[in-house]
Amino acid sequence: MFGVYQIPFCVEAKGITIQVVSGNSLSTYTRISPGGKIAKQLGYGKGKVIINPVEPVNLPSEVTGMLEFHFTPVAVRPGSTITLYLKFPVEIGVFVGDDENYTLIDVFSLAKAKYSLYGTPEKGFITRHVECEVFESEPSTEPLEEGVLTLSLNNSSRDWIEVSRAVFEGSTMRLFYGNCVAMTGEMEVLSRAIAVTRIHNTGSKDAMKPAIRVYPTRKSLIPEKLFFVMEYGVGD
Amino acid sequence: MAFEYLNYALIGNVTLLDLIIFGIAVLLAVVIAKAVGFYLKKTFSDRVEMAELEFLIKVIQGLIIVIGIYLALPSFDINLADMLVVGGTIGLVIAFASQKIVSNFGSGLFLIIERPIKPGDSININSVSGTVEEIRVLSTIIKTHEGIYVRIPNEKVFSSDITNYVANVARRFEYTIGISYRSDAGKAIQIVKDLLEKESFVLRHPAPSVFVDTLGDSSVNLRVFIWAPSRVWWSVRTQMLWTIKKALEDGGIDIPFPQRVVTISRATRDAVPPHEGKEAEHHG
């Protein structure tokens, strides 16, 4: 389902139907999915529509831009680096536009969202919560439902540290898609309380395409962050 | 000369022409400030939160007007050093004469700097509850939940107890739900927990808490504590209670009306006289 489509088109997969019917000067966008149905008018009869996975922090509403992975605790040896694979829910974005100027017209997901609080109510962050297990190798996934984060976990402290949380900032996220949906990131654990997380601008495989992101389409003046500092612990 | 009267000195050396030039300069500064404000709003309304943008625009407009006045002052041929002395003295006089206004102004500045509240926040000040519409130089405008406009002087806002319901990113609310003594409290707790697990905005951490709180006159009272993001807590609060009620009923849990069982014992010869009969109460 992911890719670039020329109007008019109709695409179906996993109970999702997306179609754009063109008229003279307008066209009609319709999406039917298990979560509901939406219809919109587009102000042009010809052009392209891009469907790709987007940062999984937009649904059910824009309450937060943070994504928190909460996984089975992993004890990491001091000074060592290990690679973990974590699954995350996919949100599907539908964009219209051309060249560099895109706008999001629809976003939906087959996954159920859950929120959590990282830190304290006074200074913490509301996060999109992902409860997941840890995989040693890349697990198989259904791309319309789940993606895989390849996480390089580096314990740069002098102690053994049990890690069970990784929090990423929405503006840092870069998704890639092909046969699967993927992000690659790193987490440098500085102590039991502090870690730095980043998402890399590369897919897990060479053939993967970069997904158009929702964040730049908001044209926010707040600059994109390059990393996020977890200050409220890396464990339960 | 046709315009000779323009050079008449009105106050000291200040002529009518000076006053006109000063007026035009200030007017021009105001017009520029308005235009800049409109341009900023048009350009950045999609990119910056409206409350922040309004604040930014006000600061920039204020600066433009102050610069306009500063640039216009030479038309009065005024020595700025003298003006500082005179201005200071006048300021002192005005401050004494209008203590309330100055106090409101100072409080307004501190409100803007300390930011215990900001436009869009849901707050309670004294007995006024509502949403902050605007923080002005002298007063704060609140729109109550009934949609009523309330203006509170900044001095009063600053010296009052302020409750800001959305200052923290998450907040807790609670329900008390009574179930009948015949119903299984353990099952009821599980039903509520399962329901809270499914609801997106009920936070996973801190986890919701459901427990038997009190044994009431007519019911076993369950207490439910829920944390939700502050931005959506009200909609979650209003929606969840009815959802819980329906789920409990579907699960065969009774939510009883307040009730009292009255047992009247029939009087017999050997029993106590009727006027000494008693009513027994049992919890239902």
Side-chain angles (χ1 to χ4, degrees):
Chain A
M1 173 167 275
F2 298 138
V4 181
Y5 297 89
Q6 292 296 329
I7 295 173
F9 73 92
C10 179
V11 56
E12 290 180 41
K14 292 282 286 181
I16 303 165
T17 304
I18 295 177
Q19 71 169 2
V20 180
V21 180
S22 68
N24 291 331
S25 57
L26 294 176
S27 43
T28 307
Y29 167 83
T30 314
R31 183 258 298 169
I32 302 166
S33 65
K37 179 181 176 179
I38 188 172
K40 286 184 180 182
Q41 293 290 328
L42 307 180
Y44 53 92
K46 286 181 181 175
K48 65 180 178 183
V49 172
I50 299 131
I51 303 171
N52 68 213
V54 293
E55 307 94 302
V57 289
N58 302 286
L59 296 172
S61 61
E62 288 170 27
V63 170
T64 180
M66 314 295 294
L67 181 67
E68 177 181 5
F69 290 88
H70 195 190
F71 45 87
T72 321
V74 179
V76 190
R77 186 195 301 270
S80 69
T81 302
I82 56 171
T83 301
L84 311 174
Y85 296 88
L86 306 169
K87 286 185 182 180
F88 62 87
V90 162
E91 288 182 11
I92 301 164
V94 182
F95 297 84
V96 293
D98 43 33
D99 300 329
E100 296 293 304
N101 192 9
Y102 297 100
T103 190
L104 182 77
I105 59 164
D106 188 18
V107 60
F108 60 98
S109 178
L110 299 177
K112 182 87 182 143
K114 188 75 181 169
Y115 290 92
S116 188
L117 173 69
Y118 177 68
T120 64
E122 302 82 43
K123 291 181 178 175
F125 300 89
I126 296 294
T127 59
R128 172 78 190 270
H129 188 263
V130 180
E131 196 113 24
C132 58
E133 54 181 310
V134 175
F135 296 91
E136 275 185 84
S137 58
E138 193 168 334
S140 62
T141 53
E142 168 50 57
L144 292 176
E145 291 178 17
E146 290 175 318
V148 177
L149 169 72
T150 307
L151 181 66
S152 172
L153 186 57
N154 170 27
N155 179 4
S156 58
S157 76
R158 292 180 181 180
D159 301 311
W160 280 80
I161 291 182
E162 214 170 68
V163 181
S164 61
R165 281 167 196 251
V167 181
F168 296 90
E169 220 268 338
S171 70
T172 68
M173 288 178 205
R174 306 286 192 280
L175 275 88
F176 289 79
Y177 66 96
N179 293 327
C180 63
V181 175
M183 281 196 284
T184 53
E186 69 173 76
M187 177 175 176
E188 184 179 3
V189 181
L190 305 173
S191 70
R192 284 187 179 82
I194 299 175
V196 178
T197 61
R198 291 183 185 83
I199 295 286
H200 298 149
N201 197 10
T202 51
S204 58
K205 294 164 193 155
D206 289 342
M208 298 188 104
K209 292 180 190 167
I212 296 173
R213 298 183 298 143
V214 173
Y215 186 82
T217 63
R218 294 206 185 106
K219 296 184 167 62
S220 170
L221 279 190
I222 301 163
E224 290 184 34
K225 289 183 182 164
L226 299 174
F227 57 85
F228 175 70
V229 180
M230 294 173 61
E231 293 175 274
Y232 299 99
V234 297
D236 282 328
Chain B
M1 292 286 284
F3 298 108
E4 213 169 66
Y5 60 89
L6 288 176
N7 291 321
Y8 284 143
L10 295 176
I11 312 156
N13 291 333
V14 179
T15 64
L16 185 59
L17 183 65
D18 293 336
L19 273 181
I20 289 171
I21 291 172
F22 179 77
I24 289 171
V26 172
L27 197 69
L28 205 64
V30 171
V31 170
I32 291 170
K34 288 267 180 201
V36 169
F38 177 73
Y39 175 78
L40 289 174
K41 199 175 253 185
K42 189 183 80 166
T43 311
F44 297 115
S45 56
D46 284 346
R47 308 179 190 193
V48 183
E49 256 186 53
M50 198 42 98
E52 306 287 331
L53 185 61
E54 294 278 358
F55 173 68
L56 196 71
I57 288 173
K58 274 187 184 165
V59 170
I60 292 171
Q61 285 180 327
L63 277 175
I64 292 173
I65 292 170
V66 168
I67 290 169
I69 292 171
Y70 178 79
L71 292 176
L73 282 177
S75 66
F76 284 163
D77 195 22
I78 289 173
N79 183 340
L80 279 177
D82 292 348
M83 206 189 83
L84 280 177
V85 177
V86 175
T89 315
I90 292 172
L92 213 58
V93 171
I94 291 173
F96 275 114
S98 53
Q99 275 186 29
K100 281 281 174 195
I101 292 173
V102 175
S103 168
N104 280 323
F105 179 76
S107 300
L109 284 184
F110 281 112
L111 280 176
I112 288 168
I113 294 164
E114 192 191 331
R115 307 203 87 186
I117 55 174
K118 57 181 189 296
D121 284 358
S122 182
I123 59 153
N124 181 296
I125 297 172
N126 289 338
S127 58
V128 180
S129 281
T131 308
V132 180
E133 287 286 293
E134 200 177 347
I135 301 170
R136 295 178 179 164
V137 178
L138 298 178
S139 61
T140 297
I141 308 301
I142 312 282
K143 187 171 83 179
T144 67
H145 298 304
E146 294 79 27
I148 295 165
Y149 170 102
V150 180
R151 176 189 176 278
I152 308 175
N154 280 340
E155 185 196 11
K156 207 170 177 182
V157 175
F158 194 68
S159 57
S160 299
D161 292 339
I162 299 173
T163 308
N164 188 333
Y165 296 110
V166 294
N168 294 344
V169 293
R171 65 168 293 183
R172 197 186 76 179
F173 59 91
E174 61 186 72
Y175 301 125
T176 299
I177 298 163
I179 62 169
S180 74
Y181 273 88
R182 277 189 298 272
S183 297
D184 180 349
K187 184 182 172 189
I189 288 172
Q190 197 54 51
I191 289 172
V192 175
K193 279 186 172 174
D194 290 347
L195 201 66
L196 298 178
E197 174 64 29
K198 286 179 197 156
E199 169 57 41
S200 299
F201 292 121
V202 172
L203 297 182
R204 175 68 52 82
H205 301 286
S209 176
V210 188
F211 57 93
V212 173
D213 186 42
T214 52
L215 301 176
D217 290 344
S218 313
S219 60
V220 175
N221 294 323
L222 305 183
R223 202 81 176 273
V224 184
F225 288 143
I226 297 170
W227 283 87
S230 297
R231 282 171 65 176
V232 294
W233 81 275
W234 180 248
S235 63
V236 178
R237 188 184 185 283
T238 49
Q239 177 201 324
M240 283 308 294
L241 187 57
W242 188 248
T243 314
I244 290 172
K245 188 250 183 198
K246 282 200 292 185
L248 287 175
E249 282 179 350
D250 292 347
I253 306 291
D254 291 331
I255 298 178
F257 296 110
Q259 54 190 276
R260 175 166 292 178
V261 177
V262 179
T263 306
I264 302 170
S265 57
R266 186 183 292 274
T268 60
R269 254 178 225 168
D270 301 331
V272 289
H275 65 275
E276 289 179 23
K278 62 177 182 179
E279 290 181 350
E281 290 179 10
H282 297 280
H283 296 300

